[in-house]
Amino acid sequence: VKILTLKLLQEFHKISKTKKTKMNKKLLLLGILVALTILVTNSVSALTATNTDPSAGNPSATVTGSFVLTDNISANDVTGVTFSVANLVGVTDNAKNISSGVISFSPASISTLSDGSNQTITTTVAIPDNKEAQTYQGTVTVTGTENASPVSTSFTLSVVVNSLTAADVKTYDNSTPLEILGEEGTSNLTSTFDIKNTGNVALSALTFDQTALDLSDADNNLVTLTFSDPGTIAAGATVTVTATAAYEDNLELDTYGGIVSVKSGSTVL
């Protein structure tokens, strides 16, 4: 009888422990559900930002977008609202980026965002010179305080940089022309000028269109003008080009010249 009683008591303890364990698990799960419900409810009370990305832009251009910041809870104002942004990283080539230092917001901060209200913030991005053509993305974070607790929201800012073929002739222009001085019957008269690639794609096979030049006198004596080959100019790089002139015999004393157009294919740069 004693042995049987002992076994029954052991089985009873096992059953009791099992029921207690199951009950604890149920209580624990219930606690998790309650905690999750509270967290989800509280998260809705924060800020939301509805973003409109800037339009696509060329290197050296400034583009603007905006986002609407909303306080979703009619309980307390959101105060001390500030904005921060990470570098925008290239989607195609993530080794390239647009620094956060060229991105600004207006207003730069908001002292008070009233209950249930919204405010539009302008985003300005100054695209750097020669920035590679692709889409760049980064995270904008908005932080503030509501009812003595921190609140925040974030969104992805995207900036599209266009492909740009462009060049600039340094020093000389329509008002400050390149001059090559000489006498009739002389050749190999030279002068130089620099071309900078101000776009974001390499330039090659450039030509110098002389159709707008006046290079002959009344008797059709000519000035012959040639240019050295600048080769391939990488984005942002500068090369020096040599212009060489030859004056025919009996060329009248005068000033000859006009506009030389630098072309890539049929496109004037």
Side-chain angles (χ1 to χ4, degrees), residues 52-55 62-66 122-125:
T52 300
D53 287 319
S55 299
T62 297
V63 295
T64 59
S66 63
T122 300
T123 305
T124 301
V125 182

Side-chain angles (χ1 to χ4, degrees), residues 2-266:
K2 288 182 180 179
I3 293 174
L4 178 60
T5 303
L6 180 60
K7 287 184 178 179
L8 288 174
L9 287 172
Q10 287 174 341
E11 291 297 324
F12 175 78
H13 286 311
K14 288 181 181 179
I15 294 170
S16 298
K17 288 180 181 179
T18 302
K19 288 183 177 180
K20 186 175 181 181
T21 302
K22 289 182 179 179
M23 185 178 296
N24 286 341
K25 287 182 179 178
K26 289 180 180 179
L27 290 174
L28 180 61
L29 289 174
L30 180 61
I32 292 173
L33 289 173
V34 171
L36 286 174
T37 303
I38 293 172
L39 287 173
V40 171
T41 303
N42 286 342
S43 67
V44 176
S45 69
L47 302 166
T48 57
T50 304
N51 179 54
T52 300
D53 287 319
S55 299
N58 294 332
S60 305
T62 297
V63 295
T64 59
S66 63
F67 62 94
V68 178
L69 188 64
T70 304
D71 176 8
N72 296 301
I73 296 299
S74 299
N76 296 281
D77 296 342
V78 178
T79 59
V81 179
T82 59
F83 317 112
S84 62
V85 59
N87 291 344
L88 307 186
V89 178
V91 173
T92 304
D93 181 358
N94 60 16
K96 312 295 184 182
N97 69 78
I98 295 177
S99 169
S100 61
V102 301
I103 304 170
S104 61
F105 302 100
S106 181
S109 61
I110 302 172
S111 57
T112 301
L113 184 64
S114 302
D115 292 339
S117 68
N118 59 65
Q119 184 166 342
T120 300
I121 295 88
T122 300
T123 305
T124 301
V125 182
I127 302 174
D129 297 345
N130 313 116
K131 183 53 60 180
E132 294 81 359
Q134 63 172 319
T135 299
Y136 297 83
Q137 294 184 334
T139 300
V140 175
T141 302
V142 183
T143 59
T145 302
E146 184 177 33
N147 195 26
S149 297
V151 291
S152 65
T153 189
S154 62
F155 61 88
T156 298
L157 173 65
S158 293
V159 173
V160 177
V161 178
N162 296 326
S163 178
L164 177 65
T165 301
D168 180 36
V169 175
K170 311 299 290 182
T171 307
Y172 303 107
D173 54 27
N174 295 351
S175 59
T176 309
L178 174 70
E179 294 183 349
I180 304 177
L181 302 177
E183 299 177 354
E184 57 176 315
T186 58
S187 60
N188 294 320
L189 301 170
T190 63
S191 189
T192 61
F193 59 92
D194 292 335
I195 296 179
K196 181 177 181 179
N197 183 345
T198 56
N200 55 8
V201 294
L203 298 175
S204 61
L206 297 182
T207 58
F208 300 91
D209 187 348
Q210 303 181 43
T211 55
L213 294 179
D214 175 12
L215 297 177
S216 64
D217 63 13
D219 298 323
N220 288 323
N221 296 307
L222 299 176
V223 176
T224 302
L225 187 63
T226 59
F227 298 90
S228 62
D229 183 2
T232 299
I233 311 174
T238 300
V239 299
T240 299
V241 176
T242 299
T244 303
Y247 301 148
E248 284 189 351
D249 293 336
N250 303 316
L251 183 70
E252 293 181 4
L253 179 64
D254 203 347
T255 298
Y256 302 89
I259 303 298
V260 176
S261 298
V262 182
K263 288 185 173 182
S264 175
S266 60

